[in-house]
Structure formats: structure tokens, C-alpha cells
Amino acid sequence: MVVLAGVSVIVFALVHLVPGDPVRLALGTRFNQDAYDTLRERSGLDLPLVQQFFTWLGSAVTGDLGVSFRSGDTVTSLIAERLPATLTLALASILVALLIAIPLGTISALRPRSIIDRFATVISQFGISVPDFWMAIVLILVFAGTLGWLPSGGYVALSEDPLGWLQRLVMPAVVTGTVSGAVITRFVRSSVLEAIGADHVRTAQAKGLPARQVFTWHVLRNALLPLVTVTGVQLAYLLSGVVVVEIVFSWPGLGQLALQSVQARDYPVLQGAILLFAVVFLVINLVVDLLYTAIDPRIRR
Amino acid sequence: MTGAPVPPPDAPVAGQGDAKGTSPGPTALRPARPRWRETLGLLARNPTAAVASLVLVGIVLMAIFDETLAPQGPSEVSVQDRLQSPSWAHPFGTDDLGRDILSRVILGAGVSLRVGFLAVGIALVIGTLIGLLAGFYGRWVDDVLMRVMDMLFAFPAVLLAIAVLAVRGPGSGNTALAIGIVYIPIFARVTRASVLGVREEVYVRASRSVGASDFRLLTRHVLPNAAPPIIVQTSISLAFAVLAEAALSFLGLGTQPPNPSWGLMLAEGRGFIDIAWWLAFFPGMAIFLTVLCFNLLGDGLRDVLDPRQRTLMAGGGR
């Protein structure tokens, strides 16, 4: 709660430090003193900052994040509009990431220092280091340009065009999923390795349990905890909009919205988006903590 | 602070973990410290990290002698040489204004590395200080400082950087500041965790009991022994800082044209991807290689300095 309160103060302060008069900018060429005063008053920008903050916070709690200077839509509706795209991409990416990370990490932990392990280490190191937007451009060049198999970007809703939806989702999901997958692979590897080395695993093996059973019940279960944590962190990162990848693929997600609102100095939208991201981050951390107690009875007191 | 000389990449934060404790004192109280020669020796035996360090030294040298090395000026426009594919005259080809891409990649190294080192320098100095105080004094100091760090940490990294740049305006210096702010909480956490492990060691308690000041305890005993994870984090953060600079410049918020930043070149090349792949390909490779080497070096340093931390910090901060 303290963190959340602090976050909202930072969001508010940060956004209001942005130079440039948003009202003047919103009016553009239609500028005249009357319109200026009216809009300023309507947006509450003529009030003292502290009062503005509490007004904003008060309505934010009830789900009202204000109105965009730019389009006149409510911030909540703008965010809601972008939410499906972001959710789709985040979930698809985490799926790709786990599909890469769990097998790769487990196999390399089961055969440490083998060729497969070295290969997995190299792959994950590459995945962590590759600039995602560059990978996106290269994929577009190959699959949209040369091969012409996939569209180079955009988004359609699943209900409108299921095939088009999938075609447009593949490349962005693979790009962000590879990066997250690379990070998760290393966690899976090290946590499985650690679990294998534990005393109770040796005991289980000594008492003659079949290897498969030892692995599922004694190794995997213990390796799950770090996996949940890192997956949570990665999900929070993906939900907050992988800004650059969204831009490259013209994916109409929250990251794109946030960037556009920075460029347009659209305070209310930027505030709303950043606040939402911070809340998502905190909520996911909370869920991870709760999952901990579900997975590991030792944490329950 | 922001103007502080940056450490060379092969010896991040040299001096911090250095065995400078040659002052007289009971040797029994002297804790074991990582010695630089030993560390470098071990690192050299790790082939991946050794190669990575060599490549990094090469990149740094390239950035230092960029003007001499670059076959052409970065802004030398030559209209009849527009969009030439790679050839002997232009190994990486030319861009839409006929500028030599190899030259721009070489000159871009300086921009990327300067911003990277500056950003990590900011995060390192402030973050380490905060972590040191929080870990050493504990109680309310710890509570207050780490709560503030949690708040900063709750923001998505790239968005926080974007917001800082929106406030301060685009440009290389502000990019470094923005990335630096993003990484402060990570350094604070790493340092604090490391300090907590060192704080109650016998040599710290002994030194305290003979009346050493807090300042002396912190600089002579706590910091040097808490340094290994911080050094590892420095190398990994450099990787992410170079990556972040490229991403922000790509979005048009970081380094501004006509400066040859790798991220900016990628953004410019993106529009020509169908007809001239080399515009975006080579700057991307440069980013990839630099980031990869910093990561590999970080891994190597971790193996040598801090084997137990391997599981904790893999991929932190991304």
C-alpha cells in the first residue's frame, strides 16, 4: 500500500514535470484565449498542484483516470481499447517462453556440461543479448519480405479473423517470447540443478524409487518455486507493453499508447498508463507470493 | 558525479574490490579478498569470458580511435553512392544518403559506450551508496530507503526511461540519466543483500569493538567484501544499458540525428529493409555483439568472484 501511494505520487510528479503546455498543444492552430481558458479550467489545470493530485487520485481509485487532452475520450476507455492486444501478446509470449525454457532448461540441467547443455547456454545467452527490435526487423525481412508468409504487422481481433489474428501474432510473440524464454531457461536450469543435488532426492533414489517418479515428485516440484517467480516478473514486463516490439509490428498495445501519449504530451493518458503498469506489477508480485504458499507448504505458518 | 571517469570494461569498478588494505593491523582480522591478478588469471582460464573481454577491449579501442579508424566521416554525404550493397569500397554498404555504414558503426560505438558507461556509473554510485547504508544501518534507514527503491522498481524499465526523457527532453546525456535512474534500485538491492551477509562477520565486529568509525568500517571492511556481486552486476548492467540506449534511440527519444547511434541507425534503416537489408543489419549486429560480450564477461566474473550468486541474478533487470 505504501509502495502504491508512493508510486502514484511519482507518476503524478513525473508527468507534471514534463515541459510544454498540454492545453496549448491540444488546441493547436485553433488557439484562442477563450478556448484556452475553458479547456484549462475544464481539465482542472488551473487549480493548485496538490489539489490536482488529490482530485486525480480520488477519481483514479474509482476507475476514472480522466480525459485525454488529445482525443477527448476517457483514459479508461483508451486503455480498455488497447488491453486485448496487450493481453494477447503477453500471454502468447509467455507461452512461447515457457515452451522454450522448460524443456531446454530441464534437459540441460539433467545433462550438465553435455553438448545439449552447452548449446542451451549459448542459445539463452544469445536470446538475452539480442536487441528485440532488431530481431523483429530481421524476422519481418525474412518472413514478410523474402518469403512472404506472414503480414509484417498490425492486429485484428480473434473474433473477426482467426487466421489473420494468428498470422499477425506469431512474429511478435516469437520475438518477445524468445527474449523472456532465454531469461527463464537459465532459471529453470539452475533451479533444477539445485533440486537434483538436494539430500531428499538422493534419499528417494536410494530407496529405489523409479527415476521418473523421483524426477516429477522430488525434483520438479522443488524447482517450480523459482520458475513461478521469474515467470511472474517476465509476465509483468510483457504486460507493461514491450514498447519497441509493439512499435515495430504496429501492434496497438499499451506500450504504443504510452509512447504516443509521451509524444503528444497527453498527461492524463500517460499517467493512467504508467499507474496501471505499476499496479499490474504489484498485483503480479502479490499473486506470486500467494502461489508460493500454495506450492510450498513450508511457507505457510 | 556524472562526469566521473568510467571504468574500463575489463576491470569494472577497479579499486572497489581492490586489496588496498595494506594498513597495519592484526592480520587475523584481515578477511580474504578477491585479488585482481588472481581474478584476471581465473578469468583468462574461462575461454568464453576471455574472448568476450578481448572483443570488448577491441570495441573500446575502436570507440577511442574512431576518427582515425573510420574510412569516411559519419556525415559525408555522397548522392551517387546511395544504397550501395556491401562491397570492397564499402564493406557494410552505404545508406540512403550515401554515407558509409562501416564508418557510422565505428563512430556509433563511442556514443553507445559513453551512454552505457555513464548510465551504469550513475546507477552504480547512487545505488551502491543506498544499498550500503540500508544494509549497514538496518532498521528505519533500511525501511525508508528500500521502500523508495521498491517504488522505483515498480515501474517498467523502458517506460520509466521514456517518462524521464519526456521530462528532460531527448539527447545522449539525458538518455544516460534515464537509464541510470532505472538501474539504481537493482544496484541498491544487490549491494544491500551483499552487505547483510558481510555486516556480522567477525572482522567487522572486531573492528567495531576496537572503536573504528562507521566510515572506516564501511570503506575498509564492508564495501570491499561486499563488492563481488556488485562487480558482476556492473558488467551485466552495461549490457542492458547499451541495449536500452539503442532501444530509446530507436524510438527517437535517445541520441538525436545526425549523430551515429546504433539504435538510431536501426530506426533509419528500418524503412529500407525491403530494398537494402544492410542498413539495419550491421548496426544491429554491433549492438548484439557488444551486449553479448558484456553478458558473457558478467557470467565469467560471476563464476570467478561469486559462484554462489549464480542462481540469484541470472538475467536480472530485463
Side-chain angles (χ1 to χ4, degrees), chain A residues 45-262:
Chain A
L45 284 172
D46 53 341
L47 301 170
L49 269 185
V50 179
Q51 197 179 336
Q52 279 186 46
F53 172 69
F54 282 106
T55 319
W56 173 70
L57 191 65
S59 32
V61 172
T62 59
D64 173 12
L65 291 166
V67 175
S68 161
F69 287 151
R70 231 10 209 195
S71 59
D73 297 321
T74 64
V75 175
T76 322
S77 72
L78 281 174
I79 289 178
E81 209 174 280
R82 302 296 187 114
L83 212 52
T86 289
L87 274 178
T88 312
L89 182 55
L91 292 177
S93 307
I94 212 77
L95 190 70
V96 172
L98 291 177
L99 281 177
I100 297 174
I102 295 180
L104 207 58
T106 314
I107 293 171
S108 57
L110 288 179
R111 303 255 179 286
R113 305 205 168 272
S114 67
I115 306 232
I116 297 178
D117 182 26
R118 276 166 209 275
F119 176 73
T121 311
V122 171
I123 291 289
S124 73
Q125 197 58 262
F126 272 56
I128 290 172
S129 307
V130 69
D132 43 11
F133 46 102
W134 181 62
M135 186 177 163
I137 292 175
V138 172
L139 284 188
I140 290 179
L141 173 66
V142 175
F143 290 101
T146 315
L147 295 173
W149 290 352
L150 297 166
S152 65
Y155 170 81
V156 289
L158 173 62
S159 50
E160 279 172 38
D161 177 6
L163 184 67
W165 173 80
L166 190 65
Q167 280 177 332
R168 285 172 177 78
L169 179 60
V170 172
M171 281 203 285
V174 165
V175 170
T176 49
T178 308
V179 174
S180 295
V183 176
I184 301 177
T185 304
R186 311 180 97 197
F187 275 86
V188 173
R189 181 183 181 273
S190 59
S191 58
V192 171
L193 260 182
E194 204 168 296
I196 288 178
D199 288 341
H200 69 268
V201 172
R202 215 172 21 194
T203 313
Q205 280 165 341
K207 76 180 183 192
L209 279 185
R212 179 177 292 269
Q213 212 171 330
V214 173
F215 183 70
T216 21
W217 289 105
H218 297 270
V219 175
L220 272 195
R221 255 191 103 185
N222 281 291
L224 206 56
L225 219 54
L227 178 64
V228 168
T229 318
V230 67
T231 307
V233 171
Q234 289 297 321
L235 191 63
Y237 160 76
L238 291 168
L239 277 175
S240 65
V242 257
V243 187
V244 195
V245 175
E246 283 185 5
I247 300 293
V248 176
F249 286 109
S250 332
W251 192 262
L254 288 170
Q256 203 189 50
L257 181 70
L259 186 70
Q260 284 165 353
S261 62
V262 169

Side-chain angles (χ1 to χ4, degrees), chain B residues 88-130:
Chain B
W88 283 112
H90 302 285
F92 288 2
T94 60
D95 69 5
D96 53 313
L97 296 174
R99 297 176 296 192
D100 181 44
I101 299 208
L102 174 63
S103 305
R104 286 175 63 78
V105 168
I106 292 176
L107 289 149
V111 176
S112 294
L113 289 182
R114 257 196 306 277
V115 172
F117 282 130
L118 200 58
V120 175
I122 293 170
L124 177 73
V125 171
I126 301 178
T128 304
L129 188 67
I130 291 176

Side-chain angles (χ1 to χ4, degrees), chain A residues 19 125 128-129 179 186-187 277, chain B residues 159 167 288 295 299 314 318:
Chain A
Q125 197 58 262
I128 290 172
S129 307
V179 174
R186 311 180 97 197
F187 275 86
F277 296 144
Chain B
L159 274 178
V167 174
F288 179 41
N295 271 328
D299 272 10
R318 177 141 182 185

Side-chain angles (χ1 to χ4, degrees), chain B residues 132-133 136-137 195 213-224:
Chain B
L132 203 58
L133 296 177
F136 187 72
Y137 289 107
V195 166
S213 67
D214 281 0
F215 181 75
R216 190 183 160 85
L217 279 176
L218 281 171
T219 51
R220 281 293 168 83
H221 298 289
V222 176
L223 189 56

Side-chain angles (χ1 to χ4, degrees), chain B residues 6-317:
Chain B
V6 287
D10 54 336
V13 286
Q16 260 197 14
D18 206 332
K20 54 191 165 190
T22 44
S23 61
T27 42
L29 293 182
R30 289 253 147 256
R33 285 175 183 173
R35 309 210 178 261
W36 278 107
R37 198 170 283 175
E38 211 174 297
T39 307
L40 284 178
L42 281 170
L43 204 58
R45 256 180 271 157
N46 176 339
T48 333
V51 172
S53 327
L54 283 180
V55 175
L56 284 175
V57 170
I59 294 173
V60 169
L61 287 177
M62 187 173 93
I64 294 172
F65 299 106
D66 52 1
E67 308 255 323
T68 349
L69 281 170
Q72 278 184 20
S75 312
E76 226 170 87
V77 177
S78 157
V79 184
Q80 70 268 35
D81 291 334
R82 295 175 63 219
L83 295 174
Q84 299 264 316
S85 57
S87 64
W88 283 112
H90 302 285
F92 288 2
T94 60
D95 69 5
D96 53 313
L97 296 174
R99 297 176 296 192
D100 181 44
I101 299 208
L102 174 63
S103 305
R104 286 175 63 78
V105 168
I106 292 176
L107 289 149
V111 176
S112 294
L113 289 182
R114 257 196 306 277
V115 172
F117 282 130
L118 200 58
V120 175
I122 293 170
L124 177 73
V125 171
I126 301 178
T128 304
L129 188 67
I130 291 176
L132 203 58
L133 296 177
F136 187 72
Y137 289 107
R139 281 188 290 236
W140 67 268
V141 180
D142 188 23
D143 281 342
V144 171
L145 288 177
M146 293 322 282
R147 211 52 69 222
V148 174
M149 290 297 105
D150 286 348
M151 290 170 197
L152 263 187
F153 202 68
F155 292 98
V158 174
L159 274 178
L160 180 56
I162 289 177
V164 172
L165 284 173
V167 174
R168 306 263 319 168
S172 296
N174 288 338
T175 311
L177 183 68
I179 302 171
I181 291 176
V182 169
Y183 284 101
I184 288 175
I186 296 173
F187 276 95
R189 285 184 169 190
V190 169
T191 308
R192 174 178 175 271
S194 185
V195 166
L196 285 180
V198 173
R199 190 174 64 168
E200 297 303 324
E201 292 282 343
V202 180
Y203 52 82
V204 177
R205 291 216 304 260
S207 190
R208 194 199 303 268
S209 70
V210 296
S213 67
D214 281 0
F215 181 75
R216 190 183 160 85
L217 279 176
L218 281 171
T219 51
R220 281 293 168 83
H221 298 289
V222 176
L223 189 56
N225 287 290
I230 307 174
I231 296 168
V232 174
Q233 188 59 47
T234 303
S235 183
I236 294 171
S237 299
L238 278 170
F240 288 119
V242 169
L243 208 52
E245 189 274 335
L248 291 170
S249 301
F250 182 80
L251 293 175
L253 297 166
T255 308
Q256 295 297 303
N259 290 321
S261 150
W262 291 337
L264 196 61
M265 292 172 69
L266 249 174
E268 290 165 354
R270 193 183 145 210
F272 296 92
I273 192 72
D274 293 333
I275 47 171
W277 54 270
W278 53 91
L279 258 66
F281 181 79
F282 290 110
M285 276 307 274
I287 302 170
F288 179 41
L289 192 66
T290 311
V291 174
L292 183 66
C293 287
F294 276 126
N295 271 328
L296 291 174
L297 177 64
D299 272 10
L301 283 170
R302 174 182 306 150
D303 287 349
V304 173
L305 293 172
D306 195 23
R308 276 170 311 159
Q309 292 287 320
R310 292 192 71 165
T311 53
L312 282 174
M313 296 191 311

